[in-house]
Amino acid sequence: MTEQDRIKIHRSDLNIVLNAIAKTEDEITVSHLSDKIGDLYTFEIGHPHNSTIRFEKTADEYGEARSTIMGKQAQSEVPEQSSYVRSFTTSVLDFANKSDLDNFISRYAGRDPSEGHRPVYGILDSNIIRWQLADSLGIEPNNTGLQGSLLVTGVRDELHRYGGPEKIKNPSELVDELHPNYERLFNQFKGQPREQRLGLEYYQHLDNQIYSEEITSEQGDASILEKCEEFKNNSGYDLLFFTNDRNAKEMAHEKNILGHLVEFSDSLPEETSASWGDFGLLLYVHAMLFGIIRLPKVDLYGVWQSGDDDTTGYLLVDCRSRNIKQRIRRDIAVLDTWSNVNG
């Protein structure tokens, strides 16, 4: 990968890459660079709001392929089967208990405080926030959603602790077992820290919204929920606490906070529908989880050696085709010109 082939692009502009690929392709297969893992899923290019994703492996087939990766470090750079399956709930698959969740949320959504109704905030536990579920749970406000989200610093700090600062210092095992391109992940965060950093990034995204509030707590469910109870009693808000931990749910109920389990499927369907935007978000998440993913004519890097202070929200596009590189650079230039003209 020469410097000229590298294009840094924000996740919100991934449609530029997809459009460039779609000029010559009818579908986009997403693959792991290792032949032992191979093809993961295929996006059949169709209507911008209703295209098809076809899964090339069942969940168990993915898990079996992962088990053939030798070496502790190399295997740790391939997401565990449960994380891989859950990652699709970010944008293209429903929760296992979707109907139950929808019924629960509908009882509290769409309240109008100006008519005397108690406003409602949603809270995401540290075990689910990395899958960026506020929109699908109805936390991001609209006429039918909640009033917003309550963020708790104890959740943020747990993500820091679980992720840790570990970086890839010796990529030779990754090069031997996965692909030579993994040498480019030298001194980048390892797989588990990258997964937790998806949660930290989403926490910051919610914190930047005008419809969120943040309260301070220590780490641990007891402290987090105690501070939530204090907020509820002092603010007049109702709180919905979403978690994948049954004990945390019961603890929330003891604090008079409405807790509900978010349950994930342990399998993948043969196919599902998705918009281009949904697919773009999925690509970003998987580039972070895997470090590198392969598409037709381009590789997407979620982490890479960079002189930039902050690469949060960005991907590095490594173009394996001169024509596609030119298309992407041209369209980015057009977008930049339009943005400058329109302020």
Side-chain angles (χ1 to χ4, degrees):
M1 178 169 61
T2 67
E3 188 66 31
Q4 291 74 25
D5 295 328
R6 300 169 59 173
I7 303 173
K8 180 181 173 183
I9 193 167
H10 194 267
R11 56 186 283 185
S12 61
D13 295 328
L14 262 175
N15 268 359
I16 291 175
V17 178
L18 301 184
N19 278 322
I21 296 173
K23 296 288 186 183
T24 59
E25 304 287 337
D26 294 326
E27 58 184 29
I28 300 173
T29 296
V30 181
S31 307
H32 193 281
L33 269 64
S34 170
D35 291 338
K36 293 183 178 181
I37 304 296
D39 295 344
L40 299 170
Y41 52 94
T42 296
F43 181 72
E44 298 176 0
I45 299 171
H47 191 279
H49 300 294
N50 188 22
S51 293
T52 297
I53 289 181
R54 186 176 71 248
F55 293 90
E56 303 296 345
K57 284 180 171 60
T58 67
D60 287 341
E61 286 170 344
Y62 171 84
E64 290 168 6
R66 181 181 184 271
S67 69
T68 66
I69 301 297
M70 306 302 293
K72 182 178 180 181
Q73 183 182 10
Q75 192 171 94
S76 71
E77 289 302 311
V78 181
E80 294 182 356
Q81 179 175 332
S82 60
S83 290
Y84 177 66
V85 173
R86 291 180 180 196
S87 69
F88 287 96
T89 61
T90 299
S91 60
V92 302
L93 292 183
D94 290 328
F95 312 112
N97 60 335
K98 174 177 169 51
S99 178
D100 190 27
L101 273 166
D102 286 346
N103 290 336
F104 171 72
I105 294 167
S106 67
R107 298 200 296 269
Y108 306 97
R111 288 185 176 181
D112 186 350
S114 67
E115 296 182 357
H117 301 294
R118 285 172 65 92
V120 187
Y121 273 164
I123 308 164
L124 300 179
D125 200 0
S126 59
N127 54 46
I128 64 170
I129 194 171
R130 61 186 175 276
W131 305 130
Q132 312 194 13
L133 305 178
D135 186 41
S136 52
L137 286 171
I139 291 175
E140 296 197 9
N142 51 49
N143 292 334
T144 59
L146 307 184
Q147 273 65 52
S149 55
L150 181 66
L151 300 167
V152 191
T153 59
V155 169
R156 178 201 65 197
D157 295 341
E158 285 182 357
L159 292 169
H160 276 294
R161 177 166 60 88
Y162 297 153
E166 292 185 71
K167 294 187 176 183
I168 299 169
K169 295 299 185 182
N170 182 6
S172 59
E173 182 181 297
L174 307 183
V175 169
D176 294 341
E177 189 62 22
L178 298 178
H179 192 275
N181 286 10
Y182 275 84
E183 186 175 10
R184 299 165 184 166
L185 268 58
F186 171 73
N187 207 34
Q188 303 307 301
F189 284 112
K190 292 184 176 181
Q192 181 62 24
R194 293 199 303 271
E195 184 172 323
Q196 301 304 330
R197 275 166 172 72
L198 282 170
L200 288 167
E201 180 182 324
Y202 196 59
Y203 184 101
Q204 188 61 53
H205 162 75
L206 294 175
D207 195 29
N208 289 338
Q209 309 305 311
I210 61 173
Y211 48 80
S212 69
E213 290 192 52
E214 185 180 54
I215 60 175
T216 301
S217 80
E218 299 298 322
Q219 296 179 49
D221 293 333
S223 177
I224 290 168
L225 290 168
E226 179 181 349
K227 293 301 180 182
C228 289
E229 182 184 32
E230 290 180 10
F231 176 87
K232 177 178 182 290
N233 293 338
N234 295 331
S235 68
Y237 274 74
D238 283 335
L239 300 177
L240 308 185
F241 178 70
F242 299 98
T243 181
N244 188 238
D245 183 336
R246 292 184 182 276
N247 290 333
K249 172 199 166 187
E250 296 306 319
M251 195 178 298
H253 287 174
E254 293 170 4
K255 300 289 186 183
N256 295 315
I257 294 170
L258 298 163
H260 204 290
L261 280 178
V262 175
E263 298 177 358
F264 299 94
S265 175
D266 57 6
S267 62
L268 294 171
E270 291 186 1
E271 63 180 38
T272 188
S273 61
S275 69
W276 285 45
D278 295 335
F279 180 53
L281 175 55
L282 191 63
L283 291 177
Y284 178 75
V285 168
H286 284 159
M288 287 290 291
L289 290 180
F290 287 99
I292 317 169
I293 53 175
R294 173 152 288 181
L295 280 61
K297 300 183 175 64
V298 302
D299 293 338
L300 298 183
Y301 286 70
V303 289
W304 68 94
Q305 298 177 50
S306 171
D308 296 340
D309 292 334
D310 187 13
T311 58
T312 301
Y314 285 88
L315 296 169
L316 192 70
V317 184
D318 177 13
C319 300
R320 306 192 311 274
S321 158
R322 184 170 61 89
N323 288 339
I324 205 165
K325 176 182 66 177
Q326 292 173 343
R327 290 192 196 105
I328 293 172
R329 289 198 182 279
R330 180 196 62 207
D331 289 349
I332 289 175
V334 170
L335 180 62
D336 288 344
T337 300
W338 184 91
S339 298
N340 291 333
V341 169
N342 291 275

